[in-house]
Amino acid sequence: MDQSKIRNVAIIAHVDHGKTTLVNQLLKQCGTFHEGEEIVDRVMDSDNLERERGITILSKNTSVMYKGYRVNIVDTPGHADFGGQVERVLGTVDGVLLVVDAFEGPMAQTRFVTKKALELGLTPIIVVNKIDRDGCNPLLALDKVFDLFCELDATEEQLDFDRVFGSGRKGICRAELEDPDGDFSILMDKIIERIPAPKGDPNAEPLLQIASLEYSSFLGRLAVGRVQQGVFKPNQTYAQAFPDGTVKNVRPQKLLRYEGLTPKPIEEAGPGEIILIAGLDYFDIGDTLSSTNNPVHLPRIHIDPPTISMLFTVNTSPLAGKYGGKFMTGNQLQERLERAHMADPALLVEKAEGASTFKVSGRGILHLTILVENMRRELYEFTIGSPQVIFQKDESGKLLEPVEDFKVEVPNEFSGACIQEIQQRKGEMVNMTTDENDRVSLEFIVPSRGLIGIRPKLLSLSKGYAVTQSFFKEYQPYKGEIPSRINGVLIAKEPGEAASYALSNLEDRGYLIIGPGAEVYPGMIVGEHNRDVDITVNVTKGKHLTNMRSKSADDMIQLTPYRRMTLEECVTFINEDECIEVTPEVLRIRKTELDPIKRKQMSKKPAEDDD
């Protein structure tokens, strides 16, 4: 195809600002859907977890034809934990659509993805979305975007950005705010006019770098990349360059290109085309395909280092295998984690001390828990430890830790309690503003350790009003000890089923995280104690039966509803000597060491060492 008729564009934004809904409108505008076809909301969110949570986790490609131009669109995640996905795919495009909520303006993660795009010299078009929201101020949001571009050292050309105003949900778009409602042909025209055509000599030797991957049930793993120069054809021999510097000759069986939402086979692809390659035995993101006469090693795609790690190990619980687990061995766990790293290089997997124990590092807790949730659904059963921040050392040997920019918006009456909580976690306030609605915007620099479990705490302190956002800033000197969970836990003493009678007697000791009938074993955690010590309790004890009857004794036992904890809540709840038993059907929190005598010995060791 004539490369002057190709446009490659990525859609970037803060989470929940309407990227994927906007893609739906662009697909509709270009006639991708047949007449009468049922159109699913957020059609690009194909993964079950993405649909359930309403967030984009994996970057995805689509392609539309508009007025004789082929527009390749990449939908990217908005959450900073999945920034590795964004960093990889921005190298395959020439411009970005920066989507900004007309009510909220640019947020913390808008800054993160915009910084990456501007550094690569990409041409931006601003889409001020959700102009139908009550109380929104689209022009103020646009001014804030300009200020953000100035802060991020945008070039003169990037500061002279084009913009549109619209609502992805209603399918309306305007070139100017006061214009009557139009459709998204306004935005498509601006993409063709403002985004540059791809460069690259079609007569040069072929060159492509693998930027992401997809999976087909018919063709297996597919490498996705943009042709930088030359022409690629199926069943031709190319040189594949690996990270260790070795080169291997490969012969792709098929080349595919997106036509709408479906990849279709093609006979050749020239510069600027984003293609899928089938038939490579082994490949990783960052590998280079080039001519066999002159193999090329392009620099590996730079991805920011991970900041949080967790230990994954085989399940050693007495109930292992009873709740739907199909893949439980160390080899199966290792093979699945290695596959996760190949699909997402921002996830690092290393062998750790101990049998079948692996240290998995990622960008944040959400990044790691999405992996855990996917593995649960694939019937894997395993154990995960508490999240640990990854420390580094500078040249002088001084300990460094990751810190994050953390922003909170709360009503004024709750700001004092929130400030106190964040400062206890070594947060330093750098800015504080109050708007006309008496909402306070607080900005802190907080160690990543201090942010573990902070969101539910702030929601509790602010009666659900706190809006939080954060993104990784840099490594700074170690800030000192941060208190973890203060309260102790209630630990099951006997195996069996939890009884209502026993649970009702424990309600004044703290809150419970299991209900009656739940199967328990010694060492399993059944609740949080309201004091700062762990206690062992018998939750299987039933009421002794006698031949005496009384109305009060015969009344049904009324239990306070127990706290049903999500995976993220479990991860932020546990301390270092605790872990989570992950099975397809249930999650259980337990002590890492189930034997109470060994637990007591381990708790005394540090004190003996001090003597």
Side-chain angles (χ1 to χ4, degrees), residues 467-478:
V467 177
T468 60
Q469 42 177 319
S470 66
F471 73 101
F472 172 73
K473 182 176 175 63
E474 61 188 0
Y475 272 82
Q476 289 186 2
Y478 181 66

Side-chain angles (χ1 to χ4, degrees), residues 122-370:
L122 302 178
T123 303
I125 296 175
I126 312 304
V127 181
V128 181
N129 195 24
K130 303 188 183 181
I131 60 170
D132 54 327
R133 278 186 71 173
D134 292 336
C136 69
N137 190 336
L139 293 175
L140 178 62
L142 197 61
D143 288 344
K144 288 182 177 177
V145 172
F146 186 82
D147 293 342
L148 175 64
F149 274 43
C150 293
E151 278 180 51
L152 297 175
D153 297 327
T155 63
E156 291 286 331
E157 292 78 16
Q158 288 169 332
L159 285 171
D160 185 27
F161 54 74
D162 211 336
R163 77 280 189 277
V164 298
F165 302 89
S167 166
R169 193 164 56 93
K170 289 195 173 177
I172 58 173
C173 185
R174 305 171 188 167
E176 299 293 340
L177 196 56
E178 57 276 8
D179 289 355
D181 290 344
D183 61 19
F184 273 88
S185 62
I186 296 168
L187 179 56
M188 292 302 297
D189 289 335
K190 286 190 184 291
I191 290 173
I192 287 164
E193 179 190 332
R194 295 298 298 258
I195 305 295
K199 298 182 178 72
D201 182 1
N203 300 314
E205 293 185 331
L207 184 64
L208 174 146
Q209 187 167 34
I210 298 170
S212 62
L213 58 86
E214 295 199 13
Y215 186 81
S216 158
S217 51
F218 298 105
L219 299 169
R221 290 174 78 230
L222 302 171
V224 183
R226 167 179 161 163
V227 180
Q228 297 190 11
Q229 63 181 43
V231 175
F232 277 82
K233 297 180 180 179
N235 295 312
Q236 300 273 338
T237 305
Y238 300 99
Q240 180 180 353
F242 294 98
D244 58 4
T246 57
V247 174
K248 175 187 171 188
N249 284 355
V250 293
R251 196 179 175 88
Q253 296 165 357
K254 275 191 176 181
L255 300 183
L256 302 102
R257 179 178 63 203
Y258 272 100
E259 306 280 347
L261 297 166
T262 315
K264 301 280 179 67
I266 54 173
E267 291 307 311
E268 63 175 41
E273 298 212 50
I274 297 174
I275 58 171
L276 299 88
I277 302 169
L280 301 182
D281 292 336
Y282 177 83
F283 64 87
D284 208 345
I285 288 163
D287 289 358
T288 308
L289 295 182
S290 56
S291 163
T292 52
N293 304 327
N294 182 22
V296 177
H297 287 263
L298 288 175
R300 306 299 291 184
I301 297 170
H302 170 73
I303 291 175
D304 285 346
T307 56
I308 297 276
S309 69
M310 269 186 211
L311 289 180
F312 284 56
T313 185
V314 293
N315 187 9
T316 55
S317 140
L319 302 179
K322 288 184 69 176
Y323 286 83
K326 185 177 176 186
F327 305 107
M328 301 172 56
T329 67
N331 287 342
Q332 288 167 335
L333 182 62
Q334 181 177 8
E335 184 266 336
R336 178 63 183 84
L337 291 174
E338 284 173 352
R339 266 195 289 133
H341 167 67
M342 285 164 64
D344 184 359
L347 274 172
L348 298 183
V349 179
E350 308 162 72
K351 186 78 178 73
E353 284 183 29
S356 301
T357 303
F358 306 94
K359 179 183 174 184
V360 181
S361 308
R363 285 286 183 83
I365 286 175
L366 182 63
H367 194 195
L368 295 171
T369 52
I370 289 289

Side-chain angles (χ1 to χ4, degrees), residues 27 69 79 106 118 175 252 265 284 336 450 462 475 546 600:
L27 291 170
Y69 286 80
H79 203 289
L118 295 179
D284 208 345
R336 178 63 183 84
S462 64
Y475 272 82
T546 68
K600 194 168 265 188

Side-chain angles (χ1 to χ4, degrees), residues 514-588:
I514 63 162
E519 200 166 357
V520 300
Y521 53 82
M524 180 174 151
I525 293 169
V526 297
E528 182 175 0
H529 195 197
N530 48 23
R531 296 188 181 181
D532 61 357
V533 292
D534 296 347
I535 59 168
T536 306
V537 295
N538 187 354
V539 292
T540 61
K541 182 181 177 184
K543 188 176 186 302
H544 290 297
L545 299 177
T546 68
N547 59 358
M548 297 291 289
R549 295 174 69 100
S550 70
K551 186 175 184 314
S552 60
D554 290 341
D555 279 345
M556 288 286 290
I557 294 171
Q558 295 291 323
L559 286 171
T560 305
Y562 66 95
R563 181 178 168 191
R564 297 172 186 267
M565 295 175 79
T566 64
L567 178 59
E568 280 85 1
E569 287 172 334
C570 290
V571 167
T572 54
F573 175 82
I574 59 176
N575 279 340
E576 287 187 27
D577 64 335
E578 296 158 5
C579 58
I580 303 165
E581 180 188 344
V582 180
T583 74
E585 294 175 22
V586 291
L587 297 169
R588 297 187 189 87

Side-chain angles (χ1 to χ4, degrees), residues 395-428:
E395 294 159 3
S396 61
K398 200 172 181 182
L399 195 63
L400 303 175
E401 67 173 329
V403 298
E404 303 192 25
D405 272 339
F406 184 64
K407 295 182 181 177
V408 192
E409 278 188 29
V410 287
N412 196 10
E413 61 190 287
F414 305 117
S415 60
C418 292
I419 291 169
Q420 185 178 356
E421 177 64 31
I422 298 167
Q423 287 179 337
Q424 281 179 354
R425 296 165 179 255
K426 306 293 183 186
E428 298 173 26

